[in-house]
Amino acid sequence: MAEGLETEVKTNPQGDVITTTEAPKKEQKESKAAKQRVVTPEHLFFEAPRTKTFITGSEAAKEAIRRANVDIAISYPITPQSETMQQVGYLYAEGYLKDYYRGEEEYGVMSAVAGASRSGVRALTATAGPGLMRGMEVITSWPGGRMPLLLMVMCRVINAPLAIQPDNVELSYLLNCGILVFHAENQQDFYDFPLKAYVIAEKCEVTLPAAVAVDGFFVTHARGWVELPPEDIKLPPRDCYHEAVPMMDNENPPARLSRDAPIQKSNFISYQMHASWQQEIWAAVDRARPWVKKYMGGLIEVVNPGADTMIVASGSAVSQSREAVRQASERGDRIGLVKIRSLRPWPTQELIEACRHAKRIIVPEFNCVGWLAKEVRSTLYGHTQAEIVSGPRVFGGMSMPTELILEYLYKTPNEARLTDKPLSI
Amino acid sequence: MSSATSQLRYQVLPGPEGLLPPSASAMGVVLPQDGEGLVEGVLTAEDLALKAAARAMLTRRNPTLFPGPLVVWGWNKHTQEKASVVLEIAAEIPGVKIIPMPDYRPIYPKIDPEAVINPCHPNLTIWHNKIEACIFVGVHCHFANVTLKMVRAGTNCYTIALCAEAGHEDAMVSLPKCGTEKLQKMVKALRQVKKEGITPWALTPNGKRELEAERDQRRKQREAIASAAPDFAHELVAGLDENEE
């Protein structure tokens, strides 16, 4: 182009300027991506020096993917996930990923990323709310296919009336697939968990997909302090030759499973194989436990152990609960808090140990159905004499004031409305 | 809740355990570290596990090796070396059978249980051959685990898994990180147990009688096929040759 001429500005039919991200150029030798060194997971997680930065949850996820040695990312835009995968697109442009594209919709995305993972590469996708629901049929097939890919879930409302507000009811649908599920509390978790999820998911005895969930907007679009190791180090690549199934073998199950009628619906023996296969998926979920302990510091974190009143929470409800615990301490009350990092594997023994002594347990949640309270109740049944209060709950985009948690700490608000007196009219 | 309950331990023993027993992992059995072994659901020292495996393979009926794709096929030098050691293990077990799991394809309408074991219905091979002790080696972990659960559910076979990776809770004996070196230790364990005075099953009067009867039956089957099978039935017996011109 001749010097002095203005660069042509492309616009869409509405007149908006079209901004594009160029595909990575072939010559990447001098790029920062090409200069990244592979280090051990232990070095990346625990030893490398960290610098504190103030970034959004989406940016934190981007920084995780930068260091995760991901080969391919496939996704379809949906709020509030879109921003994160846009950030991942920038990483592709900078040469950190080998491939990146937008699928046609979530069913296609979840299928495509399954194919990518089955071929032996490290694969990433992300979705939110209704997108998760749309892809759910395929997602439930991932664990049986033994695909150690990563799904990031930025939770939002799923039910009508349609909304894009924060609400994590969608996680209740994800809990019974056989996928590992980690629930990030804040921006720091949303940096740490994806990296650790890859390492855990790819252990041979695990070989399962992992989901890292976060409460949309509260974390994805808000800034928080995140400690990051240097940009020039990354995880070792996926070693698909040391996993539970051979890669991309179309003549053998699980690839063959979906097209092979006899194996799925023939005689009793085939049913038995399917039953054994399902048991194996959940056995593999259990086998992730020692790795969650090693890399994530445990399935749960306990604040003020031994307190009479314990709060059990996951996701951003933990942050609100931390503040409620602090405010209660100003009144001279010692309140305990259990942060559940890992929803699958579920911290059965850890929760029993942390809550066995309690007299009152409350379970604040960002959803209407109280899926966490149900999990907590069934786990603690027969192991504690404590009153287990399902709540407080907010949903549909509401935030959870710490005052609401404090109310529940001392009394269940609805108790005031309970009466055995007849109506006064 | 009670301390008595938490001390109970789930035993991983030869079955038949029933229609659908739980996976050992779900019952709290955990995998061994390198240098350890797993015997009937209990973490032990590696040498104890090797010895338990050797004793089972030498004393139980119809000991059999089930080599999987990772030793059956010569992918690379390592697998070839490993396969050689597996043959050394076989050489130390009198009366041993080697029935491969060459891949994991479903075999329908029926398998030949004397020729292969298949993860879709491994119990058929074990029932047909009356196998009461076996070693899985070179099988991808997922398929070994699927198989081991079914074998424990429906058969009385004592299963041993020599795993190149993390090991298997549903085997009666399991050793992790089994490279050629650890497989060599299995050879030594077999020799050691024999030195201690154990009479291998195949050399006992019962074993000799059973193996002789089996040889006799196989000879008769071959003769019957060769002499009596009409041409049209031959394909049914021998299978179709897909490469035939």
Side-chain angles (χ1 to χ4, degrees), chain A residues 314-363:
Chain A
S314 70
S316 53
V318 176
S319 291
Q320 299 303 98
S321 300
R322 284 186 201 280
E323 177 58 15
V325 168
R326 190 193 65 76
Q327 289 177 22
S329 73
E330 284 180 351
R331 300 184 188 190
D333 294 329
R334 186 170 180 269
I335 305 294
L337 169 64
V338 178
K339 167 183 174 173
I340 297 182
R341 293 191 182 103
S342 173
L343 296 168
R344 292 288 181 273
W346 174 251
T348 309
Q349 284 307 318
E350 291 87 345
L351 203 56
I352 290 170
E353 289 308 314
C355 295
R356 193 194 292 279
H357 65 279
K359 293 184 176 137
R360 185 173 171 83
I361 296 166
I362 74 164
V363 189

Side-chain angles (χ1 to χ4, degrees), chain A residues 129-395:
Chain A
L132 183 79
M133 294 296 106
R134 186 166 174 80
M136 190 58 90
E137 182 186 343
V138 188
I139 291 168
T140 55
S141 76
W142 291 347
R146 308 303 295 266
M147 302 160 196
L149 56 88
L150 176 63
L151 165 70
M152 290 194 291
V153 185
M154 294 70 163
C155 300
R156 62 167 266 196
V157 163
I158 58 170
N159 39 359
L162 185 64
I164 59 167
Q165 306 298 344
D167 185 320
N168 62 28
V169 70
E170 66 192 274
L171 290 185
S172 63
Y173 296 84
L174 205 55
L175 295 180
N176 297 313
C177 304
I179 189 171
L180 308 176
V181 185
F182 306 121
H183 200 177
E185 174 192 348
N186 49 27
Q187 291 81 358
Q188 181 69 59
D189 281 356
F190 209 38
Y191 165 77
D192 287 323
F193 286 10
L195 287 159
K196 293 175 179 181
Y198 270 125
V199 174
I200 295 165
E202 291 172 10
K203 294 290 175 191
C204 176
E205 66 272 31
V206 180
T207 316
L208 284 176
V212 172
V214 73
D215 295 324
F217 298 105
F218 292 143
V219 179
T220 53
H221 288 54
R223 287 180 192 276
W225 288 108
V226 181
E227 293 187 349
L228 297 172
E231 283 184 11
D232 64 346
I233 55 176
K234 62 180 175 181
L235 287 177
R238 177 178 167 191
D239 182 0
C240 68
Y241 295 104
H242 292 277
E243 286 175 3
V245 291
M247 292 305 110
M248 195 48 99
D249 183 344
N250 288 326
E251 281 310 308
N252 282 301
R256 184 171 171 160
L257 200 64
S258 55
R259 72 160 205 260
D260 203 308
I263 198 176
Q264 299 214 58
K265 44 185 174 182
S266 177
N267 51 28
F268 164 72
I269 296 298
S270 296
Y271 297 146
Q272 193 183 15
M273 192 219 192
H274 204 291
S276 182
W277 196 298
Q278 290 192 48
Q279 286 184 319
E280 168 55 15
I281 291 166
W282 287 98
V285 171
D286 275 330
R287 291 187 208 113
R289 289 177 191 280
W291 299 112
V292 177
K293 286 176 191 164
K294 175 174 179 180
Y295 290 122
M296 299 177 81
L299 284 77
I300 63 172
E301 173 197 333
V302 184
V303 176
N304 291 339
D308 285 349
T309 301
M310 300 292 292
I311 303 173
V312 180
S314 70
S316 53
V318 176
S319 291
Q320 299 303 98
S321 300
R322 284 186 201 280
E323 177 58 15
V325 168
R326 190 193 65 76
Q327 289 177 22
S329 73
E330 284 180 351
R331 300 184 188 190
D333 294 329
R334 186 170 180 269
I335 305 294
L337 169 64
V338 178
K339 167 183 174 173
I340 297 182
R341 293 191 182 103
S342 173
L343 296 168
R344 292 288 181 273
W346 174 251
T348 309
Q349 284 307 318
E350 291 87 345
L351 203 56
I352 290 170
E353 289 308 314
C355 295
R356 193 194 292 279
H357 65 279
K359 293 184 176 137
R360 185 173 171 83
I361 296 166
I362 74 164
V363 189
E365 291 182 69
F366 278 95
N367 65 80
C368 183
V369 300
W371 52 262
L372 183 62
K374 289 172 190 164
E375 295 271 330
V376 171
R377 279 175 181 278
S378 63
T379 302
L380 295 180
Y381 179 77
H383 294 278
T384 178
Q385 300 295 319
E387 177 196 9
I388 302 174
V389 180
S390 298
R393 291 184 208 152
V394 292
F395 30 93

